Amino acid sequence: MKIRLMAAASAVALSAATMAQAQGGELTLCWAAWDPANALVELSKDFEAQSGIKMNFEFVPWPNFADRMLNELNSGGQLCDLLIGDSQWIGGAAENGWYLKLNDFFAAESISMDDFAPATVYAYSTWPKGTPNYFALPAMGDANGWFYRKDWFARPEIQAAFKEQYGRDLGEPQTQKELLEIAQFFQGREIDGKTVYGASIFTERGSEGITMGATGALYAWGFKYENSPGSYDMAGAVNSPEAVEALEFYKELYKTGTPPGYDNAYMEQSLDAFKSGQVAMAMNWFAFFPGLYADPNTGGDKIDFFVNPAQNVAASTLGGQGISVVANTDNMDGALAYIKWFANPDVQKKWWSMGGYSCHKAVLDDPNFVNTAPFAGDFLQAMGGVQDFWQEPAYAQLLLAMQERLHNYIVADQGTAQEALDGLIADWTEVFEDEGKL
Protein backbone atom coordinates (compact mmCIF):
# COMPACT_ATOMS: atom_id res chain seq x y z
CA MET A 1 0.00 0.00 0.00
CA LYS A 2 1.25 3.43 -0.89
CA ILE A 3 1.17 6.18 1.67
CA ARG A 4 -0.75 9.35 1.13
CA LEU A 5 1.04 12.03 -0.84
CA MET A 6 1.77 14.95 1.45
CA ALA A 7 2.52 17.53 -1.17
CA ALA A 8 0.24 19.29 -3.65
CA ALA A 9 0.42 22.24 -5.95
CA SER A 10 0.33 25.64 -4.27
CA ALA A 11 -3.01 27.41 -4.21
CA VAL A 12 -3.63 29.92 -6.93
CA ALA A 13 -3.94 33.42 -5.50
CA LEU A 14 -7.32 35.08 -5.22
CA SER A 15 -8.25 37.34 -8.08
CA ALA A 16 -7.38 41.00 -7.73
CA ALA A 17 -11.04 42.03 -7.71
CA THR A 18 -11.97 39.55 -5.01
CA MET A 19 -8.95 40.56 -2.95
CA ALA A 20 -9.84 44.22 -3.17
CA GLN A 21 -13.40 43.60 -2.00
CA ALA A 22 -12.43 41.26 0.83
CA GLN A 23 -9.24 42.90 2.09
CA GLY A 24 -8.93 42.93 5.86
CA GLY A 25 -11.41 42.07 8.60
CA GLU A 26 -12.09 38.75 10.24
CA LEU A 27 -14.16 35.62 9.58
CA THR A 28 -15.33 32.87 11.90
CA LEU A 29 -15.76 29.42 10.42
CA CYS A 30 -17.83 26.94 12.43
CA TRP A 31 -17.59 23.15 12.18
CA ALA A 32 -17.35 20.03 14.28
CA ALA A 33 -14.23 19.31 16.33
CA TRP A 34 -12.32 16.50 14.61
CA ASP A 35 -9.16 15.83 12.61
CA PRO A 36 -10.35 17.38 9.32
CA ALA A 37 -11.14 20.63 11.12
CA ASN A 38 -7.55 20.81 12.35
CA ALA A 39 -6.36 20.26 8.78
CA LEU A 40 -8.60 23.09 7.60
CA VAL A 41 -7.01 25.48 10.09
CA GLU A 42 -3.63 24.79 8.50
CA LEU A 43 -5.00 25.01 4.97
CA SER A 44 -6.70 28.34 5.74
CA LYS A 45 -3.36 29.97 6.55
CA ASP A 46 -2.91 30.28 2.79
CA PHE A 47 -6.18 32.20 2.56
CA GLU A 48 -5.15 34.51 5.39
CA ALA A 49 -1.85 35.26 3.68
CA GLN A 50 -3.51 36.00 0.35
CA SER A 51 -6.55 37.93 1.55
CA GLY A 52 -5.38 39.71 4.70
CA ILE A 53 -8.46 38.35 6.47
CA LYS A 54 -7.93 36.81 9.91
CA MET A 55 -9.60 33.42 10.27
CA ASN A 56 -11.19 32.39 13.55
CA PHE A 57 -12.61 28.93 14.15
CA GLU A 58 -15.38 27.58 16.36
CA PHE A 59 -15.24 23.79 16.54
CA VAL A 60 -17.88 21.93 18.57
CA PRO A 61 -17.62 18.26 19.69
CA TRP A 62 -19.78 16.02 17.54
CA PRO A 63 -22.31 15.04 20.23
CA ASN A 64 -23.18 18.73 20.69
CA PHE A 65 -22.58 19.99 17.16
CA ALA A 66 -26.11 19.85 15.77
CA ASP A 67 -27.81 21.32 18.83
CA ARG A 68 -25.27 24.11 19.15
CA MET A 69 -25.22 25.15 15.51
CA LEU A 70 -28.93 24.77 14.78
CA ASN A 71 -29.73 26.81 17.88
CA GLU A 72 -27.25 29.43 16.71
CA LEU A 73 -28.89 29.63 13.29
CA ASN A 74 -32.44 29.55 14.60
CA SER A 75 -31.77 32.36 17.08
CA GLY A 76 -30.26 34.62 14.43
CA GLY A 77 -26.87 34.58 16.14
CA GLN A 78 -23.82 36.00 14.42
CA LEU A 79 -21.12 33.68 15.72
CA CYS A 80 -20.51 32.07 12.31
CA ASP A 81 -19.75 33.73 8.99
CA LEU A 82 -19.11 30.38 7.36
CA LEU A 83 -20.57 27.06 8.47
CA ILE A 84 -19.67 23.54 7.43
CA GLY A 85 -23.00 22.00 8.36
CA ASP A 86 -24.34 18.48 8.02
CA SER A 87 -26.07 17.52 4.81
CA GLN A 88 -29.37 16.95 6.60
CA TRP A 89 -29.57 20.63 7.60
CA ILE A 90 -29.73 21.94 4.05
CA GLY A 91 -33.52 21.88 3.73
CA GLY A 92 -34.19 23.77 6.94
CA ALA A 93 -31.33 26.21 6.37
CA ALA A 94 -32.56 27.02 2.87
CA GLU A 95 -36.23 27.39 3.72
CA ASN A 96 -35.54 29.43 6.86
CA GLY A 97 -33.12 31.76 5.12
CA TRP A 98 -30.14 30.78 7.30
CA TYR A 99 -27.82 30.07 4.35
CA LEU A 100 -27.13 32.41 1.47
CA LYS A 101 -28.24 31.09 -1.91
CA LEU A 102 -25.04 30.94 -3.93
CA ASN A 103 -26.26 30.68 -7.53
CA ASP A 104 -25.57 34.28 -8.52
CA PHE A 105 -22.16 34.22 -6.86
CA PHE A 106 -21.22 30.94 -8.54
CA ALA A 107 -22.25 32.34 -11.92
CA ALA A 108 -20.32 35.58 -11.41
CA GLU A 109 -17.16 33.75 -10.34
CA SER A 110 -17.45 30.89 -12.88
CA ILE A 111 -17.73 28.27 -10.14
CA SER A 112 -19.43 25.25 -11.70
CA MET A 113 -21.11 22.50 -9.75
CA ASP A 114 -20.25 20.25 -12.68
CA ASP A 115 -16.69 20.31 -11.33
CA PHE A 116 -17.75 18.42 -8.18
CA ALA A 117 -18.83 14.81 -7.71
CA PRO A 118 -22.57 14.61 -8.51
CA ALA A 119 -23.49 12.74 -5.31
CA THR A 120 -21.90 15.48 -3.19
CA VAL A 121 -23.60 18.30 -5.09
CA TYR A 122 -26.97 16.57 -4.68
CA ALA A 123 -26.48 15.84 -0.99
CA TYR A 124 -24.54 18.84 0.29
CA SER A 125 -25.63 21.73 -1.92
CA THR A 126 -29.12 21.50 -3.38
CA TRP A 127 -32.55 22.38 -2.11
CA PRO A 128 -35.12 21.31 -3.14
CA LYS A 129 -33.19 18.10 -3.71
CA GLY A 130 -31.79 17.65 -7.17
CA THR A 131 -32.70 21.15 -8.34
CA PRO A 132 -30.05 23.68 -9.45
CA ASN A 133 -30.50 25.76 -6.31
CA TYR A 134 -27.26 25.83 -4.35
CA PHE A 135 -26.85 26.75 -0.70
CA ALA A 136 -23.41 25.24 -0.11
CA LEU A 137 -20.19 24.28 -1.86
CA PRO A 138 -19.27 20.60 -1.38
CA ALA A 139 -16.52 20.73 1.24
CA MET A 140 -15.93 17.39 2.95
CA GLY A 141 -16.88 14.15 1.26
CA ASP A 142 -17.48 11.29 3.66
CA ALA A 143 -19.18 7.94 4.10
CA ASN A 144 -19.36 5.26 6.75
CA GLY A 145 -16.73 2.62 6.00
CA TRP A 146 -14.90 -0.21 7.72
CA PHE A 147 -11.35 -1.06 8.84
CA TYR A 148 -9.85 -4.22 10.26
CA ARG A 149 -6.80 -5.84 11.83
CA LYS A 150 -5.02 -7.00 8.70
CA ASP A 151 -2.29 -8.61 10.80
CA TRP A 152 -4.83 -10.77 12.65
CA PHE A 153 -6.56 -11.80 9.44
CA ALA A 154 -3.21 -12.91 7.98
CA ARG A 155 -2.19 -15.26 10.82
CA PRO A 156 -2.01 -18.86 9.54
CA GLU A 157 -3.70 -20.35 12.61
CA ILE A 158 -6.59 -17.89 12.34
CA GLN A 159 -6.88 -18.47 8.61
CA ALA A 160 -7.01 -22.23 9.15
CA ALA A 161 -9.61 -22.02 11.92
CA PHE A 162 -11.84 -19.75 9.86
CA LYS A 163 -11.66 -21.96 6.78
CA GLU A 164 -12.47 -25.03 8.83
CA GLN A 165 -15.53 -23.31 10.30
CA TYR A 166 -16.88 -21.52 7.20
CA GLY A 167 -15.32 -23.32 4.25
CA ARG A 168 -13.84 -20.20 2.70
CA ASP A 169 -10.74 -18.07 3.12
CA LEU A 170 -10.77 -15.27 5.66
CA GLY A 171 -10.63 -11.93 3.89
CA GLU A 172 -12.47 -8.67 3.48
CA PRO A 173 -16.22 -9.40 3.57
CA GLN A 174 -18.04 -9.10 0.26
CA THR A 175 -21.51 -9.11 1.81
CA GLN A 176 -23.11 -8.02 5.05
CA LYS A 177 -23.69 -11.64 5.98
CA GLU A 178 -20.00 -12.43 5.50
CA LEU A 179 -19.22 -9.48 7.76
CA LEU A 180 -21.45 -10.99 10.45
CA GLU A 181 -19.71 -14.37 10.15
CA ILE A 182 -16.30 -12.75 10.57
CA ALA A 183 -17.46 -10.77 13.60
CA GLN A 184 -18.91 -13.90 15.19
CA PHE A 185 -15.72 -15.83 14.43
CA PHE A 186 -13.57 -13.34 16.33
CA GLN A 187 -16.07 -12.83 19.15
CA GLY A 188 -14.50 -14.05 22.39
CA ARG A 189 -11.41 -15.43 20.61
CA GLU A 190 -8.07 -15.25 22.39
CA ILE A 191 -5.29 -13.43 20.52
CA ASP A 192 -1.91 -12.86 22.15
CA GLY A 193 -3.34 -13.86 25.52
CA LYS A 194 -6.19 -11.33 25.31
CA THR A 195 -9.90 -11.89 24.69
CA VAL A 196 -11.01 -9.95 21.63
CA TYR A 197 -14.35 -9.27 19.96
CA GLY A 198 -15.74 -9.08 16.46
CA ALA A 199 -16.56 -5.47 15.64
CA SER A 200 -17.32 -2.08 17.10
CA ILE A 201 -20.44 -0.53 15.56
CA PHE A 202 -22.64 2.51 16.17
CA THR A 203 -25.33 2.11 18.87
CA GLU A 204 -25.49 5.61 20.38
CA ARG A 205 -28.98 6.99 21.08
CA GLY A 206 -28.53 10.66 22.03
CA SER A 207 -27.61 12.22 18.70
CA GLU A 208 -27.48 10.22 15.44
CA GLY A 209 -25.23 7.23 16.09
CA ILE A 210 -27.47 4.18 15.86
CA THR A 211 -29.22 5.60 12.79
CA MET A 212 -25.91 6.18 11.01
CA GLY A 213 -24.83 2.63 11.85
CA ALA A 214 -28.02 0.72 11.14
CA THR A 215 -28.62 2.47 7.83
CA GLY A 216 -25.40 0.87 6.59
CA ALA A 217 -27.29 -2.43 6.76
CA LEU A 218 -30.66 -1.00 5.73
CA TYR A 219 -29.31 0.62 2.57
CA ALA A 220 -27.40 -2.55 1.66
CA TRP A 221 -30.67 -4.48 1.78
CA GLY A 222 -32.33 -1.87 -0.47
CA PHE A 223 -34.11 0.33 2.09
CA LYS A 224 -35.92 3.41 0.76
CA TYR A 225 -37.55 6.26 2.65
CA GLU A 226 -40.35 6.67 0.10
CA ASN A 227 -41.89 4.59 -2.66
CA SER A 228 -41.51 7.57 -5.00
CA PRO A 229 -39.16 10.50 -4.30
CA GLY A 230 -41.02 13.49 -2.92
CA SER A 231 -44.23 11.55 -2.31
CA TYR A 232 -43.78 10.93 1.45
CA ASP A 233 -45.41 7.55 0.69
CA MET A 234 -43.52 5.42 3.21
CA ALA A 235 -45.68 2.31 3.74
CA GLY A 236 -44.08 -0.66 2.03
CA ALA A 237 -40.74 1.12 1.69
CA VAL A 238 -39.64 1.92 5.23
CA ASN A 239 -41.18 -1.31 6.55
CA SER A 240 -40.50 -3.60 3.59
CA PRO A 241 -39.52 -7.25 4.18
CA GLU A 242 -35.97 -6.32 3.15
CA ALA A 243 -35.88 -3.50 5.71
CA VAL A 244 -37.11 -5.86 8.43
CA GLU A 245 -34.41 -8.39 7.53
CA ALA A 246 -31.71 -5.69 7.57
CA LEU A 247 -32.76 -4.43 10.99
CA GLU A 248 -32.80 -7.97 12.36
CA PHE A 249 -29.32 -8.42 10.92
CA TYR A 250 -27.98 -5.30 12.64
CA LYS A 251 -29.42 -6.45 15.96
CA GLU A 252 -27.79 -9.87 15.54
CA LEU A 253 -24.47 -8.19 14.74
CA TYR A 254 -24.79 -6.10 17.90
CA LYS A 255 -25.81 -9.03 20.08
CA THR A 256 -23.32 -11.61 18.81
CA GLY A 257 -20.32 -9.71 17.47
CA THR A 258 -19.54 -6.61 19.56
CA PRO A 259 -17.71 -5.95 22.84
CA PRO A 260 -19.71 -6.03 26.07
CA GLY A 261 -20.92 -2.65 27.28
CA TYR A 262 -20.92 -0.98 23.85
CA ASP A 263 -24.62 -0.10 24.09
CA ASN A 264 -24.21 3.64 23.50
CA ALA A 265 -21.23 3.80 21.15
CA TYR A 266 -20.50 6.23 18.35
CA MET A 267 -17.38 7.60 16.67
CA GLU A 268 -15.08 7.93 19.66
CA GLN A 269 -16.02 4.59 21.21
CA SER A 270 -15.57 2.78 17.90
CA LEU A 271 -12.11 4.27 17.46
CA ASP A 272 -11.14 3.46 21.05
CA ALA A 273 -12.23 -0.17 20.73
CA PHE A 274 -10.06 -0.63 17.66
CA LYS A 275 -7.01 1.26 18.86
CA SER A 276 -7.02 -0.59 22.18
CA GLY A 277 -6.94 -3.95 20.41
CA GLN A 278 -10.40 -5.06 21.49
CA VAL A 279 -11.92 -5.72 18.07
CA ALA A 280 -11.01 -7.25 14.73
CA MET A 281 -13.16 -4.80 12.74
CA ALA A 282 -14.81 -1.43 13.22
CA MET A 283 -17.10 0.94 11.38
CA ASN A 284 -16.49 4.66 11.24
CA TRP A 285 -16.35 7.62 8.91
CA PHE A 286 -13.66 7.80 6.24
CA ALA A 287 -12.67 11.14 7.80
CA PHE A 288 -10.88 9.20 10.53
CA PHE A 289 -8.98 6.85 8.22
CA PRO A 290 -5.85 9.00 7.78
CA GLY A 291 -5.37 9.12 11.55
CA LEU A 292 -6.05 5.41 11.89
CA TYR A 293 -3.47 4.56 9.27
CA ALA A 294 -0.92 6.77 11.01
CA ASP A 295 -1.54 5.27 14.45
CA PRO A 296 1.76 3.83 15.77
CA ASN A 297 0.12 0.86 17.49
CA THR A 298 -2.65 -0.37 15.20
CA GLY A 299 -1.97 1.49 11.93
CA GLY A 300 0.47 0.96 9.09
CA ASP A 301 0.80 -2.66 8.03
CA LYS A 302 -1.57 -3.79 10.83
CA ILE A 303 -4.65 -2.12 9.35
CA ASP A 304 -6.59 -2.17 6.13
CA PHE A 305 -9.91 -0.76 4.94
CA PHE A 306 -13.02 -1.84 3.06
CA VAL A 307 -16.18 -0.24 1.78
CA ASN A 308 -19.52 -1.05 3.43
CA PRO A 309 -20.34 -4.52 2.04
CA ALA A 310 -23.30 -4.96 -0.26
CA GLN A 311 -26.14 -7.36 0.37
CA ASN A 312 -28.93 -6.83 -2.15
CA VAL A 313 -27.36 -3.59 -3.44
CA ALA A 314 -24.07 -1.72 -3.03
CA ALA A 315 -24.69 1.22 -0.72
CA SER A 316 -23.04 3.28 2.01
CA THR A 317 -24.33 5.76 4.56
CA LEU A 318 -23.44 9.30 3.55
CA GLY A 319 -21.47 11.56 5.84
CA GLY A 320 -19.76 14.79 4.98
CA GLN A 321 -20.76 18.39 4.64
CA GLY A 322 -20.92 21.43 2.43
CA ILE A 323 -19.62 24.87 3.34
CA SER A 324 -22.21 27.65 3.45
CA VAL A 325 -22.24 31.40 3.93
CA VAL A 326 -24.41 32.31 6.91
CA ALA A 327 -26.91 34.81 5.53
CA ASN A 328 -26.59 37.36 8.33
CA THR A 329 -22.79 37.55 8.29
CA ASP A 330 -21.38 41.04 8.74
CA ASN A 331 -18.48 40.20 6.38
CA MET A 332 -20.26 38.97 3.28
CA ASP A 333 -17.41 39.91 0.91
CA GLY A 334 -14.89 38.06 3.04
CA ALA A 335 -17.08 34.96 3.38
CA LEU A 336 -17.64 34.81 -0.37
CA ALA A 337 -13.92 35.30 -0.99
CA TYR A 338 -13.26 32.25 1.19
CA ILE A 339 -15.74 30.18 -0.85
CA LYS A 340 -14.06 31.27 -4.09
CA TRP A 341 -10.63 30.42 -2.72
CA PHE A 342 -11.74 27.04 -1.38
CA ALA A 343 -13.34 26.09 -4.71
CA ASN A 344 -10.02 26.43 -6.54
CA PRO A 345 -8.77 23.05 -7.85
CA ASP A 346 -5.26 23.58 -6.49
CA VAL A 347 -6.63 24.37 -3.04
CA GLN A 348 -8.75 21.24 -3.28
CA LYS A 349 -5.70 19.14 -4.12
CA LYS A 350 -3.89 20.52 -1.10
CA TRP A 351 -6.99 19.91 1.05
CA TRP A 352 -6.88 16.20 0.14
CA SER A 353 -3.13 16.01 0.79
CA MET A 354 -3.60 17.45 4.30
CA GLY A 355 -6.34 15.07 5.42
CA GLY A 356 -9.52 16.64 4.05
CA TYR A 357 -11.79 14.76 1.66
CA SER A 358 -12.15 16.84 -1.46
CA CYS A 359 -15.27 16.48 -3.60
CA HIS A 360 -13.66 18.16 -6.62
CA LYS A 361 -13.30 16.16 -9.82
CA ALA A 362 -9.80 17.58 -10.31
CA VAL A 363 -8.85 15.46 -7.29
CA LEU A 364 -11.16 12.47 -7.56
CA ASP A 365 -10.81 11.92 -11.32
CA ASP A 366 -7.02 12.01 -11.26
CA PRO A 367 -5.91 8.54 -12.48
CA ASN A 368 -3.39 8.40 -9.62
CA PHE A 369 -5.95 9.22 -6.92
CA VAL A 370 -6.42 5.59 -5.87
CA ASN A 371 -2.69 5.36 -5.14
CA THR A 372 -2.55 8.38 -2.86
CA ALA A 373 -3.86 6.58 0.24
CA PRO A 374 -4.64 2.96 1.18
CA PHE A 375 -8.31 3.89 1.52
CA ALA A 376 -8.62 6.19 -1.51
CA GLY A 377 -10.10 3.53 -3.78
CA ASP A 378 -12.61 2.48 -1.14
CA PHE A 379 -13.61 6.12 -0.68
CA LEU A 380 -14.32 6.51 -4.39
CA GLN A 381 -16.34 3.30 -4.39
CA ALA A 382 -18.33 4.34 -1.34
CA MET A 383 -19.12 7.80 -2.69
CA GLY A 384 -20.50 6.18 -5.83
CA GLY A 385 -23.27 4.52 -3.80
CA VAL A 386 -24.02 6.83 -0.89
CA GLN A 387 -27.48 7.37 0.53
CA ASP A 388 -28.55 9.95 3.06
CA PHE A 389 -31.15 10.48 5.75
CA TRP A 390 -34.08 12.86 5.26
CA GLN A 391 -32.90 16.41 4.49
CA GLU A 392 -36.27 17.94 5.31
CA PRO A 393 -36.66 21.09 7.45
CA ALA A 394 -38.11 18.78 10.13
CA TYR A 395 -34.96 16.62 10.01
CA ALA A 396 -34.35 16.85 13.78
CA GLN A 397 -37.75 15.41 14.70
CA LEU A 398 -37.42 12.72 12.04
CA LEU A 399 -34.00 11.72 13.37
CA LEU A 400 -35.07 11.64 17.01
CA ALA A 401 -37.91 9.26 16.11
CA MET A 402 -35.57 6.88 14.28
CA GLN A 403 -33.00 7.01 17.05
CA GLU A 404 -35.61 6.01 19.61
CA ARG A 405 -37.21 3.26 17.54
CA LEU A 406 -33.90 1.67 16.53
CA HIS A 407 -32.29 1.84 19.96
CA ASN A 408 -35.36 0.44 21.67
CA TYR A 409 -35.40 -2.56 19.32
CA ILE A 410 -31.69 -3.24 18.79
CA VAL A 411 -30.22 -2.45 22.20
CA ALA A 412 -33.14 -2.49 24.65
CA ASP A 413 -34.82 -5.63 23.19
CA GLN A 414 -38.21 -3.99 22.88
CA GLY A 415 -40.55 -5.48 20.29
CA THR A 416 -39.76 -6.75 16.82
CA ALA A 417 -38.09 -5.19 13.81
CA GLN A 418 -41.46 -5.05 12.04
CA GLU A 419 -43.00 -3.20 14.97
CA ALA A 420 -40.07 -0.77 15.12
CA LEU A 421 -40.40 0.12 11.43
CA ASP A 422 -44.20 0.28 11.52
CA GLY A 423 -43.91 2.62 14.50
CA LEU A 424 -41.35 4.71 12.68
CA ILE A 425 -43.77 5.25 9.79
CA ALA A 426 -46.40 6.38 12.29
CA ASP A 427 -43.92 8.82 13.88
CA TRP A 428 -42.78 10.23 10.54
CA THR A 429 -46.34 10.50 9.24
CA GLU A 430 -47.22 12.67 12.23
CA VAL A 431 -44.21 14.91 11.57
CA PHE A 432 -45.03 15.34 7.89
CA GLU A 433 -48.68 16.02 8.69
CA ASP A 434 -47.59 18.77 11.07
CA GLU A 435 -45.36 20.13 8.30
CA GLY A 436 -48.23 20.14 5.82
CA LYS A 437 -46.49 17.58 3.61
CA LEU A 438 -49.21 14.96 4.11
Side-chain angles (χ1 to χ4, degrees), residues 8-9 17 26 43 107 145 170 179 195 212 222 231 329 371 381 391 422:
E26 297 186 7
L43 181 70
L170 175 61
L179 186 149
T195 300
M212 297 299 104
S231 68
T329 174
N371 298 317
Q381 184 180 348
Q391 295 189 356
D422 290 345

Side-chain angles (χ1 to χ4, degrees), residues 125-347:
S125 302
T126 64
W127 187 262
K129 298 317 300 174
T131 66
N133 297 288
Y134 306 119
F135 293 86
L137 183 85
M140 175 72 189
D142 206 359
N144 194 13
W146 291 84
F147 42 101
Y148 67 100
R149 287 296 298 266
K150 183 180 179 181
D151 56 335
W152 292 359
F153 276 48
R155 293 188 181 187
E157 69 276 14
I158 291 177
Q159 284 275 348
F162 184 87
K163 190 161 189 176
E164 181 179 356
Q165 185 169 346
Y166 293 103
R168 59 182 174 87
D169 292 335
L170 175 61
E172 295 179 3
Q174 301 304 303
T175 66
Q176 293 280 317
K177 290 181 179 179
E178 286 186 6
L179 186 149
L180 175 62
E181 289 177 349
I182 295 170
Q184 291 173 335
F185 171 78
F186 278 100
Q187 186 77 353
R189 185 169 294 274
E190 185 174 303
I191 296 180
D192 297 333
K194 179 180 178 180
T195 300
V196 304
Y197 303 94
S200 52
I201 64 174
F202 297 161
T203 58
E204 179 260 5
R205 177 170 178 165
S207 61
E208 63 175 13
I210 199 165
T211 297
M212 297 299 104
T215 49
L218 287 164
Y219 296 151
W221 257 266
F223 174 88
K224 300 293 182 185
Y225 291 92
E226 307 164 277
N227 289 298
S228 300
S231 68
Y232 305 99
D233 177 14
M234 297 171 283
V238 170
N239 60 350
S240 69
E242 293 80 11
V244 170
E245 184 179 343
L247 204 56
E248 291 172 342
F249 163 87
Y250 198 77
K251 180 172 183 174
E252 185 178 0
L253 177 60
Y254 167 67
K255 294 292 185 182
T256 66
T258 64
Y262 273 68
D263 56 358
N264 193 37
Y266 195 21
M267 298 181 241
E268 183 179 354
Q269 292 77 20
S270 173
L271 295 171
D272 288 346
F274 188 83
K275 290 181 179 181
S276 63
Q278 293 185 63
V279 293
M281 302 181 294
M283 66 163 49
N284 222 311
W285 303 106
F286 273 85
F288 294 108
F289 288 10
L292 285 161
Y293 185 66
D295 187 88
N297 298 315
T298 54
D301 58 3
K302 295 180 180 178
I303 193 172
D304 212 343
F305 308 87
F306 60 90
V307 71
N308 188 54
Q311 191 58 40
N312 297 332
V313 298
S316 296
T317 299
L318 180 74
Q321 301 87 27
I323 182 169
S324 299
V325 175
V326 178
N328 65 351
T329 174
D330 57 7
N331 190 356
M332 183 65 72
D333 288 342
L336 291 171
Y338 189 93
I339 297 290
K340 177 177 173 60
W341 168 81
F342 190 72
N344 185 282
D346 287 327
V347 174

Side-chain angles (χ1 to χ4, degrees), residues 30 60 63-80 83 89 93 96 98-99 326 328 395-397 400:
C30 299
V60 181
N64 312 111
F65 179 53
D67 284 347
R68 172 79 184 281
M69 290 297 110
L70 293 176
N71 286 336
E72 173 71 19
L73 293 169
N74 194 43
S75 67
Q78 290 190 295
L79 170 65
C80 310
L83 175 58
W89 306 356
N96 291 311
W98 297 338
Y99 289 170
V326 178
N328 65 351
Y395 134 82
Q397 297 100 295
L400 285 172

Side-chain angles (χ1 to χ4, degrees), residues 88-89 116 288 359 404 418:
Q88 299 97 335
W89 306 356
F116 293 82
F288 294 108
C359 305
E404 181 176 1
Q418 186 72 61

